[in-house]
Amino acid sequence: MGENPAARLQKLFEGHRLTPTQRRIAHCMVRGAADVPFLSSVELAELAGVSQPSVTRFAVALGFDGYPALRRHLREVAPAERAGPVRQDAYNEYQQAVQGEIENLRQLSTLLADPAPVREAGRLLAASSPLPVLGLRAASSQARGFAYFAAKVHPDVRLLDEGGSMLADRIDAAVGAGASALLCFALPRHPREVSEALEYGRGAGLTVVTVADSAFAPVAAYSDLLIPAPVGTGLAFDTACAPMLLGRVLLEAMADALPDAQARLEAFDARAAARGLFVE
């Protein structure tokens, strides 16, 4: 029982084909894993932004007779006591957004208690040369940041941050040059092009490693290894501190798997110093 409530909920949902609305409910439940066993179906529906009948259908899709049966099961696998309520009224709207991101980082920290998925991802990324890194629209900055730093330790990183008909061509070019894996950053709202690109890449023989906002994101069906990092939704536009940090963690794991990573970093520092690239 050392597993955290969010991880146990993830396992409950694994193997079920969920509709977009049901994935939204599942994602909401994982985010509030400690409180969900104490919510009514109406309260959960309001929290997830769906209808109460959708919550009932969700419970049935998981194999339960209805939501009461699902809630009884959740109480069996959840902590005995409900987490203390967060006094949201103690913070203004901007502070609430920050508090939400702090909670997202806590969830990421809990997820990383098992380092095996990240280490496996690092091994896959290090072994792929070239290494295509995909991120469109909202996720383009995450992909660009990863690619910028990865290029300092990896011999051939190829950023794919523009969609359109050329995207498949660039994936083909990477595969033709020897790529074996593709790293994808996928954040809401999820562009259809990303799922299509991942499906195309897998068909071309690439192993897809994905950083997404949820294990139930649309790209999950096209990913060989998905590591979730929640986004903040407290502001008009989503915030992505956890996905960014997870990207840096993957960089660390990849560098650990590259035998010449340190030498490459030292060579870059020497060139930068010779050129006076940075102001100390």
Side-chain angles (χ1 to χ4, degrees), residues 98-111:
V98 173
Q99 292 299 318
E101 284 292 60
I102 291 172
E103 178 56 31
N104 287 341
L105 292 173
R106 287 197 184 99
Q107 287 189 35
L108 179 60
S109 176
T110 301
L111 176 74

Side-chain angles (χ1 to χ4, degrees), residues 180-273:
S180 58
L182 178 149
L183 174 62
C184 173
F185 289 87
L187 301 177
R189 303 172 63 186
H190 293 278
R192 182 181 293 106
E193 274 187 298
V194 174
S195 294
E196 293 172 348
L198 296 189
E199 184 176 22
Y200 186 84
R202 289 180 79 187
L206 294 175
T207 299
V208 174
V209 177
T210 301
V211 172
D213 58 299
S214 165
F216 315 106
V219 292
Y222 310 103
S223 303
D224 297 289
L225 175 57
L226 186 149
I227 307 176
V231 300
T233 57
L235 301 175
F237 299 100
D238 291 345
T239 49
C241 295
M244 181 192 71
L245 182 54
L246 179 54
R248 298 299 188 268
V249 170
L250 288 174
L251 271 170
E252 186 78 6
M254 184 184 73
D256 288 343
L258 286 166
D260 58 348
Q262 187 59 39
R264 286 180 175 276
L265 276 176
E266 291 173 358
F268 171 80
D269 286 341
R271 292 194 302 271

Side-chain angles (χ1 to χ4, degrees), residues 9 12-13 16 29 55-74 76-77:
L9 276 177
L12 174 64
F13 303 142
H16 294 279
M29 291 176 70
V55 172
T56 300
R57 287 193 292 270
F58 172 71
V60 173
L62 295 179
F64 296 93
D65 293 336
Y67 181 72
L70 171 59
R71 186 168 64 173
R72 284 195 299 272
H73 176 76
L74 295 179
E76 291 174 359
V77 301

